[in-house]
Amino acid sequence: SGTSMDKPGPPVFNYGVTLPILLHGDAAFSGQGIVAETLNFSRIPGYRTGGTIHVIANNQLGYTTNPGESRSTLYASDMAKGFEIPIVHVNADDPEACIEAARLAMAYRTKFRKDFLIDLVGYRRYGHNEGDEPTFTQPLMYQAIEQHSTVREIWANTLVQRAVVQAGEPEQMVSRRMEHLQHELEALKAEEAMVEPIPEPPPPGAARRVKTAVPAERLRRLNQALLQVPENFALHRKLERAMQKRQKALENMDEATVDWAMAEEFAFATILEDGIPIRLTGQDVERGTFSHRHATFHDVKNGNRFTALQSIPQAKAAFEVRNSPLSEEAAVGFEYGYNVQEPGRLVIWEAQYGDFINGAQNIIDEFLASARSKWGQTPSLVLLLPHGYEGAGPDHSTGRLERFLALAEETNMRIANCTTSAQYFHLLRRQAGLLRIDPLPLIVMTPKSLLRHQRVHSTLRDLSEGNFLPIIDDAWTAGRPDAVRRIILCSGKIYVDLISSELREQNAAIAIVRVEQLYPFRFELLQPIFDQYTRCEEVIWVQEEPENMGAWPYLQPRLKEFLNGRALLHYVGRRGNASPAEGSAAWHTIKQNEIIRQAFNLESHREINERARKYKLVEK
């Protein structure tokens, strides 16, 4: 709110449009890490609000925990000192002092456009809630509270002493108000009045009807516009060579020259040309963790910056790209709030590595996954999570696909793991086309080593004439379906490993079918694929992740029900493990190669299982 993005170029933020007020608990302010992460946003471009007024509702307790047990500082507010935020401690029993503190906060915020904190020091009269018994743990404190007049009583006595009201008048006012509230409560029909708002369901088949193909000539014009840089702008020589190569990349309609980053940039450019603003944030997103995006160029002589997507003449809306602090929980929380506030914008957050989404699990569980059923909200936030097993160890391998699938229910999100740049292009354009009619969060397991892999590259024709395919059949076996005895189902990087193997052409009896959209799973699209392979005897799900992770725990019962005994269902992949990946690159390579060998092995299952035990894999 307050950010204008209806014109091309960078966004324009008006600090005077909103007044952010953030309420904290005293124990939470010092104890919860997301508070420090959020305070760190206060002066960062793309996140600063022009001054947030923070209010600590200071009860001098954290449930049953005393201040000395919950923080190392004298005051609950002391952490704000590190961010040079002015702090006022005020007695909650003194309404006039509280009003003056609020006026001071507003005046400071108006003049300096910076945060201000009010530490409202009070107490909890009834403990943590009305059913709590606080004297179990703070007997002396609550003896004092029991003898202490309430804020209302103190203020009423003050008004009587000042002759503002007559003696007894405050009690009469309270009595009248309580009678009115009691009357309203008794007249209330809870089963009718307390019904939670439910968002209107989207029109059936909305996602399937979105047109994502873009004419070739339009893409060629955008490509030329994206390659323009300001006069005398000194590009890095490596980037200069890459841009020269792109000049002729789209000459041949059927040559696979469109890599992942190019497809993404084309998707963004066409979305901007359609008049939809884009906000892209995350850890190192301007360059991209793997040096693939380069959304912002840096002049090697003077350090000046240039963002092509903010300068193309075809754009009808603003483009914003921001490197975020090294934060997940606060950053994803910020983008969720931004997205809910501005549903007509394509809001994207990218993790440095998919594994780091762990740090935002609270936001995923509390808001993103349960937005519709719990909050009546319809977010469309996109999460890009670099995912794939490449020997980088257990902290740089997985976007935790299994956790999102475990949360997937009631069509509350879309989850994809694309195998080509064109699929990613169409997926982003589909998401933009659904912002108003069928908004859902989009979780994308994005590649790392495959960003520049030739097998992932697409043609101009794929972008100009294709569309997003939730499930893709094996083109290699399409002309001879009767020869197929085994169907391999897989998703993402493991597909490229399978088709790149020398074993691929030695096994004409095996079809490899890609699942590009894991949720909602489109079984109605899988049905005709299975129907054509009339002699298929078994279906194997192949994945890189351990058996208790990845897509298998979610898909196994659903695939079993789908097959209904028509073919055997097996799993090939790593055994279940508490750690998502090996810590040794050499051991990773051994296991990865063995997964591929087992996937193509048509021997008896007993022989396969013996070898699986040797390599700590599993085939069931």
Side-chain angles (χ1 to χ4, degrees):
S1 184
T3 303
S4 175
M5 297 188 73
D6 56 348
K7 295 180 180 179
V12 178
F13 182 60
N14 184 345
Y15 296 107
V17 171
T18 59
L19 172 60
I21 300 175
L22 189 54
L23 303 181
H24 306 268
D26 51 320
F29 191 83
S30 55
Q32 291 291 321
I34 193 172
V35 177
E37 291 183 27
T38 303
L39 291 177
N40 188 48
F41 287 156
S42 62
R43 301 182 191 180
I44 295 177
Y47 298 90
R48 62 179 303 177
T49 63
T52 297
I53 296 177
H54 302 267
V55 180
I56 297 178
N58 192 341
N59 298 315
Q60 305 181 66
L61 278 177
Y63 200 170
T64 66
T65 304
N66 291 314
E69 299 167 315
S70 64
R71 63 175 185 264
S72 297
T73 58
L74 179 61
Y75 293 104
S77 57
D78 279 349
M79 182 172 58
K81 294 178 180 178
F83 298 92
E84 298 181 344
I85 297 173
I87 301 168
V88 170
H89 307 281
V90 61
N91 183 356
D93 272 350
D94 188 343
E96 289 174 308
C98 293
I99 291 172
E100 288 305 311
R103 287 173 173 165
L104 178 60
M106 189 62 200
Y108 179 88
R109 194 258 182 190
T110 301
K111 183 174 179 61
F112 297 107
R113 302 296 186 193
K114 294 181 180 179
D115 287 18
F116 192 96
L117 191 148
I118 299 172
D119 183 18
L120 185 63
V121 183
Y123 59 90
R124 301 180 315 197
R125 181 160 289 273
Y126 301 109
H128 190 68
N129 56 56
E130 289 83 348
D132 191 21
E133 180 48 77
T135 58
F136 287 152
T137 50
Q138 280 80 30
L140 299 181
M141 181 181 191
Y142 275 87
Q143 287 174 20
I145 290 173
E146 189 176 0
Q147 303 300 319
H148 188 71
S149 299
T150 66
V151 177
R152 187 201 64 77
E153 291 169 343
I154 293 172
W155 182 237
N157 291 335
T158 300
L159 293 178
V160 170
Q161 291 170 7
R162 295 178 182 177
V164 176
V165 296
Q166 298 295 320
E169 188 175 348
E171 286 70 27
Q172 294 173 8
M173 294 171 64
V174 171
S175 179
R176 288 196 300 270
R177 190 62 183 168
M178 292 303 293
E179 288 178 5
H180 173 71
L181 290 174
Q182 185 64 35
H183 175 75
E184 292 295 323
L185 177 63
E186 292 172 354
L188 185 68
K189 294 182 179 179
E191 67 279 5
E192 297 177 4
M194 301 301 290
V195 175
E196 295 289 338
I198 300 175
E200 287 291 326
R208 293 192 290 272
R209 289 194 295 271
V210 175
K211 303 298 182 184
T212 59
V214 178
E217 285 308 311
R218 180 181 166 191
L219 289 170
R220 287 183 175 125
R221 288 193 296 270
L222 284 168
N223 185 48
Q224 292 304 313
L226 290 165
L227 296 176
Q228 303 304 311
V229 297
E231 189 176 357
N232 299 322
F233 191 92
L235 272 175
H236 192 285
R237 65 179 185 275
K238 291 184 178 180
L239 296 178
E240 195 171 35
R241 288 197 297 269
M243 292 183 71
Q244 289 172 353
K245 186 178 179 181
R246 263 186 65 171
Q247 291 282 354
K248 299 181 179 180
L250 302 184
E251 289 183 352
N252 187 333
M253 284 283 290
D254 297 306
E255 185 179 355
T257 56
V258 181
D259 64 16
W260 194 272
M262 196 186 307
E264 180 186 78
E265 191 171 37
F266 287 161
F268 289 162
T270 57
I271 291 167
L272 294 173
E273 191 175 17
D274 291 338
I276 298 173
I278 299 172
R279 174 179 165 90
L280 171 63
T281 66
Q283 298 152 350
D284 311 294
V285 295
E286 291 184 6
R287 190 200 74 172
T289 301
F290 310 100
S291 294
H292 67 287
R293 180 175 290 119
H294 297 288
T296 297
F297 295 133
H298 298 259
D299 190 305
V300 296
K301 294 182 178 179
N302 55 33
N304 289 342
R305 297 157 61 93
F306 173 72
T307 301
L309 285 165
Q310 293 177 346
S311 301
I312 55 174
Q314 294 94 330
K316 298 182 180 66
F319 176 76
E320 181 175 19
V321 57
R322 303 280 187 183
N323 288 336
S324 75
L326 194 62
S327 157
E328 287 84 36
E329 188 170 14
V332 175
F334 187 98
E335 301 308 327
Y336 176 87
Y338 187 107
N339 173 227
V340 170
Q341 180 67 30
E342 296 292 345
R345 300 175 186 177
L346 183 62
V347 182
I348 305 170
W349 181 84
E350 181 177 64
Q352 191 179 69
Y353 283 85
D355 315 66
F356 301 169
I357 195 63
N358 283 344
Q361 199 63 47
N362 281 342
I363 302 298
I364 303 300
D365 292 348
E366 289 292 326
F367 298 100
L368 192 70
S370 57
R372 285 174 175 257
S373 61
K374 185 177 181 181
W375 304 105
Q377 295 177 331
T378 55
S380 56
L381 178 63
V382 180
L383 300 182
L384 304 180
L385 307 178
H387 174 91
Y389 282 57
E390 296 154 352
D395 296 310
H396 296 83
S397 295
T398 173
R400 290 293 186 175
L401 175 61
E402 65 279 355
R403 293 184 181 171
F404 289 99
L405 288 171
L407 293 168
E409 193 57 71
E410 300 179 295
T411 317
N412 61 336
M413 64 180 78
R414 297 184 180 97
I415 304 173
N417 194 1
C418 301
T419 56
T420 71
S421 59
Q423 282 284 90
Y424 181 51
F425 170 86
H426 292 297
L427 183 68
L428 289 174
R429 284 189 47 78
R430 186 183 73 171
Q431 183 73 0
L434 293 171
L435 291 178
R436 294 293 188 183
I437 58 175
D438 189 8
L440 285 175
L442 173 62
I443 316 302
V444 188
M445 300 291 133
T446 56
K448 295 176 289 183
S449 64
L450 298 187
L451 288 167
R452 299 173 179 85
H453 198 294
Q454 187 63 37
R455 294 278 192 176
V456 174
H457 291 188
S458 297
T459 68
L460 178 58
R461 191 179 303 279
D462 293 330
L463 275 58
S464 62
E465 299 178 9
N467 60 289
F468 179 73
L469 302 174
I471 297 176
I472 303 177
D473 194 7
D474 191 338
W476 191 56
T477 59
R480 43 184 176 79
D482 290 344
V484 173
R485 298 292 182 272
R486 171 184 288 181
I487 296 175
I488 290 177
L489 289 176
C490 61
S491 186
K493 173 184 166 290
I494 194 70
Y495 167 76
V496 176
D497 291 346
L498 287 165
I499 64 170
S500 301
S501 170
E502 61 184 13
L503 299 174
R504 161 72 157 166
E505 294 189 2
Q506 300 172 18
N507 287 274
I510 297 177
I512 304 176
V513 178
R514 288 171 274 173
V515 180
E516 303 280 294
Q517 179 175 292
L518 291 152
Y519 184 83
F521 196 99
R522 300 287 300 281
F523 283 103
E524 76 279 11
L525 299 180
L526 190 60
Q527 186 67 58
I529 294 175
F530 272 87
D531 289 345
Q532 69 175 327
Y533 296 120
T534 56
R535 303 181 67 182
C536 175
E537 300 170 355
E538 59 180 351
V539 176
I540 291 183
W541 177 262
V542 180
Q543 67 177 35
E544 302 178 295
E545 302 91 340
E547 185 183 14
N548 57 316
M549 302 178 193
W552 176 246
Y554 176 82
L555 288 179
Q556 190 268 341
R558 292 163 176 82
L559 287 173
K560 184 177 181 180
E561 181 181 359
F562 169 77
L563 291 172
N564 194 27
R566 291 175 296 171
L568 297 174
L569 177 64
H570 304 294
Y571 163 85
V572 170
R574 287 168 170 81
R575 281 187 177 182
N577 202 323
S579 174
E582 304 84 11
S584 162
W587 191 229
H588 157 82
T589 301
I590 292 172
K591 287 191 176 184
Q592 201 76 1
N593 290 338
E594 186 60 25
I595 289 173
I596 302 303
R597 281 195 290 270
Q598 286 192 29
F600 285 115
N601 195 332
L602 291 170
E603 298 175 7
S604 70
H605 295 307
R606 185 175 66 179
E607 294 175 9
I608 294 175
N609 284 331
E610 288 177 358
R611 190 160 55 253
R613 282 191 290 273
K614 176 182 178 182
Y615 291 102
K616 294 185 178 180
L617 302 171
V618 62
E619 203 282 357
K620 291 186 175 180

